[in-house]
Amino acid sequence: MRLLLALLYVCSGLPTKGDSMGQNMGNIVSIAQTTLVHIKELRTQLPAAPHVDAATPPLEGLAGIIQHLGALDDELQSAPTGLLGQIQADVSSLHGRLRSLAQSRGCAVWDGAAGAPGDGRFPESRLYLTLAKVQRYLDEVLHNMNKVKVC
C-alpha cells in the first residue's frame, strides 16, 4: 500500500516534503542575497561613511533568526521610506518566508520583536548602522543556513 501511495505521489508531480523544504531554502537564500545586493546598491548612492561595525546576536535556530529579523524589520520601517523602502520590503519578505517555514515545521515562534521601538528620528548615523546590522546579519544567516533547519 505504501509503495502504491509513493508511486501515485511521484507520478502526480506533487512536491514531496523534501522538495518543498529545498525550494523554501532556495527562496530564503535568494531573498537574502537579493537584499545584500540592494544594500550594496544603496551604499553606492550614499555619501561615504566611516566604518561601522554592528554586532549580531548568535544564530541559535529558526525561532531566534525570525525574532531578530522582526526587530530589524521594525527598525527599517522607522526609516525614511524613500531610502530603505526596498531593503525593508526584502527583509519583511524574508521574515515572512521564515515564519511560514517555522509554522510548517511546527516550531514555536514568538510574535514580538527583540528590539526597542524607535523614537521617530532617523539620523544619518543610524541609517549606516541599520544597513550594517542588516548586512552583517544576513551574511551570518547565509553562512550558517544549517541553523535555519533547527527550531
Side-chain angles (χ1 to χ4, degrees):
M1 183 68 176
R2 279 186 170 175
L3 179 59
L4 179 60
L5 288 174
L7 285 173
L8 286 173
Y9 208 72
V10 170
C11 293
S12 70
L14 294 173
T16 62
K17 186 176 182 179
D19 292 340
S20 180
M21 177 67 130
Q23 186 176 7
N24 277 333
M25 297 299 277
N27 289 336
I28 289 165
V29 168
S30 179
I31 293 169
Q33 289 173 335
T34 300
T35 306
L36 290 171
V37 168
H38 288 150
I39 290 171
K40 288 176 185 171
E41 288 174 356
L42 178 60
R43 285 180 186 257
T44 64
Q45 298 170 11
L46 295 172
H51 176 72
V52 177
D53 191 22
T56 59
L59 298 175
E60 295 177 358
L62 188 53
I65 293 169
I66 291 167
Q67 182 179 3
H68 191 67
L69 274 178
L72 290 172
D73 189 20
D74 290 346
E75 189 171 335
L76 288 165
Q77 286 180 28
S78 69
T81 55
L83 289 175
L84 299 177
Q86 182 60 57
I87 295 164
Q88 189 277 320
D90 293 343
V91 170
S92 183
S93 177
L94 181 59
H95 183 247
R97 187 69 72 154
L98 287 166
R99 284 187 71 74
S100 177
L101 177 63
Q103 289 171 345
S104 72
R105 297 190 63 229
C107 299
V109 179
W110 183 57
D111 285 331
D119 60 2
R121 295 176 295 158
F122 207 91
E124 190 172 293
S125 60
R126 185 168 165 206
L127 170 72
Y128 290 109
L129 179 60
T130 300
L131 285 174
K133 287 190 322 190
V134 172
Q135 183 175 13
R136 179 144 182 187
Y137 196 69
L138 292 180
D139 280 335
E140 287 293 315
V141 169
L142 286 172
H143 285 97
N144 294 287
M145 283 300 290
N146 59 326
K147 300 291 185 172
V148 172
K149 297 176 182 177
V150 178
C151 287

